[in-house]
């Protein structure tokens, strides 16, 4: 069985350009979510892009999600 790492992310922003939705997620550092002022030092970001407005509607700024990373 592959190792899985679960990381907490917060939606930092969601932009709409040319029919696409661009979503930026900011990772938690030492179990604490980063805020926009402190940046992402020691953590990381994930960028998502989708043309599906229904999918993008779930990613409102400030909402929190868990992302599971698994080795394949």
């Amino acid at each position: 069985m592959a190792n899985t790492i679960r990381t907490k992310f917060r939606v930092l922003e969601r932009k709409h350009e040319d029919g696409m939705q661009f979503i930026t997620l900011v990772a938690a550092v030492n179990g604490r979510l980063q805020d926009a002022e402190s940046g992402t030092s020691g953590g990381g970001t994930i960028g998502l892009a989708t043309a599906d407005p229904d999918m993008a509607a779930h990613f409102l700024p400030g909402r929190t999600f868990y992302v599971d990373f698994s080795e394949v």
Side-chain angles (χ1 to χ4, degrees):
M1 180 176 237
N3 291 333
T4 299
I5 298 170
R6 175 169 277 190
T7 304
K8 189 185 235 182
F9 284 86
R10 181 177 57 82
V11 178
L12 181 63
E13 68 180 349
R14 188 177 84 191
K15 294 189 277 186
H16 182 264
E17 296 177 18
D18 299 324
M20 293 290 292
Q21 299 277 337
F22 297 95
I23 302 151
T24 303
L25 303 172
V26 179
V29 177
N30 296 327
R32 300 187 64 194
L33 291 168
Q34 298 295 290
D35 58 32
E37 291 77 35
S38 65
T40 59
S41 178
T45 59
I46 293 179
L48 304 174
T50 182
D52 182 353
D54 293 331
M55 192 270 254
H58 295 284
F59 292 95
L60 297 174
R63 288 191 73 186
T64 302
F65 294 88
Y66 284 98
V67 178
D68 291 333
F69 296 94
S70 296
E71 187 178 337
V72 293

